[in-house]
Amino acid sequence: RIKRRASKTSKTSVPTKRARVIPPHPDSPTSPKFLQIQAALHAHIEPLKRDFSRFFKKGPGDYAEHDHFINISIPNIRKVVKENLDDLDYDILRTFSKSPIHEERALAALALVQKYAKEPDAVYEFYMKHRAGWDNWDIIDISCPYIVGKHLWSKHKPPKQQIHDIPDPTKPINPTSSTSTSLPAIPSDFSVLYELASARDATLWDVRIAVVSTWHLIREGHLSTTMHLSAALMSHEHDLIHKACGWMLRELGKKDRGVLVTFCDRWARDMPRVMLRYCIEKLPSATKKRLMALKG
């Protein structure tokens, strides 16, 4: 009986969380407010049986190879931001944005989204200056449309006649400036997005910020910039960009299905297959079949 009880106890005492190695912060922050908010965030670490990092490619050479995940859900990060927003000043956000921990950088980005309404110019400048910290697709997707896209729209609303400007694949794609590589030479009120996507030193994440930021423009009815960026980025080497373009084109189709179908009729042959599949996902079956046949 004693042995059975000991065996039973040993089974029930197995911890629900596996040990994690949390890397040290490069700045060794000592601010009491920072440490308090960090502790509040880490209190939401969940058991690894619900491993949120499974959605990211972490193998050798993959985009998240050097990222550190401590398994905190986005809803819980939002909760910590909401509870501590008044204490999340720019010094603390700068420290979080440099963290090696994925969820801490996500906290900084989400806090900036919440601060944008009251301090749009300051938040936009901070977000762009420290965008090296937004180095994974989820951090970008939950923040850039609500900061970059929103800010550019508020400052540079384009003429209505440009809204449905669909790029023509029969015309050559020329650089827009000496620092660009392959963007269409079209008039644009959103030059920041073109510069981000086409600069010779643009990172994968700069390009994704440029593409996903157009989500706000789409919501406002401006479709041209999304289409021109997507056309220019079809030859990009990474599927995260193809997926982002396909996703934004799909959102464009929710706004105007006819424009999306016309764009795909013109560009399906040149689109990466994953981009085409993403953008036509919500179209009628017969239309999807026809457009996929164009791809061959």
Side-chain angles (χ1 to χ4, degrees), residues 22 30 37 55 70 72 84 91 100 111 117 129 131 135 144 158-160 162 184 188 197 204 211 219-220 236 238 274:
I22 298 179
T30 58
I37 297 168
F55 300 110
I70 56 175
I72 304 173
N84 296 275
D91 286 336
K129 182 178 180 181
R131 67 182 184 275
D135 58 353
C144 73
K160 289 184 178 180
Q162 293 185 7
S188 175
L204 168 65
V211 174
R219 288 168 174 166
E220 295 290 350
H236 196 278
H238 208 291
V274 67

Side-chain angles (χ1 to χ4, degrees), residues 116 120-121 124 128 144-158 188-194 196 209-210 213-214 216-217 220 225:
Y116 179 81
D121 292 335
Y124 172 77
M128 296 300 287
C144 73
Y146 313 104
I147 297 174
V148 180
K150 193 176 218 178
H151 194 74
L152 294 179
W153 179 260
S154 71
K155 300 290 184 182
H156 310 289
K157 292 181 182 178
S188 175
D189 294 291
F190 306 112
S191 59
V192 170
L193 301 181
Y194 289 91
L196 268 180
I209 287 172
S213 291
T214 68
H216 184 83
L217 312 185
E220 295 290 350
T225 297

Side-chain angles (χ1 to χ4, degrees), residues 105-154:
R105 301 195 308 280
L107 180 145
L110 287 170
L112 290 169
V113 172
Q114 292 301 311
K115 285 179 174 289
Y116 179 81
K118 291 184 178 180
E119 307 170 51
D121 292 335
V123 167
Y124 172 77
E125 290 176 11
F126 184 97
Y127 187 89
M128 296 300 287
K129 182 178 180 181
H130 298 281
R131 67 182 184 275
W134 329 133
D135 58 353
N136 221 316
W137 58 263
D138 62 320
I139 299 177
I140 289 169
D141 296 355
I142 60 177
S143 60
C144 73
Y146 313 104
I147 297 174
V148 180
K150 193 176 218 178
H151 194 74
L152 294 179
W153 179 260
S154 71

Side-chain angles (χ1 to χ4, degrees), residues 222-278:
H222 175 80
L223 312 181
S224 173
T225 297
T226 302
M227 290 186 287
H228 280 274
L229 279 173
S230 298
L233 292 168
M234 287 180 187
S235 59
H236 196 278
E237 62 185 6
H238 208 291
D239 70 343
L240 277 180
I241 302 306
H242 302 158
K243 291 175 181 178
C245 290
W247 170 29
M248 290 301 104
L249 289 168
R250 185 172 71 231
E251 294 301 317
L252 177 154
K254 294 177 184 177
K255 201 75 175 178
D256 193 319
R257 179 184 290 179
V259 171
L260 174 60
V261 172
T262 302
F263 179 86
C264 290
D265 277 330
R266 294 183 182 183
W267 288 95
R269 295 171 184 81
D270 302 310
M271 274 194 205
R273 191 170 294 275
V274 67
M275 184 190 296
L276 181 59
R277 286 190 179 279
Y278 266 55

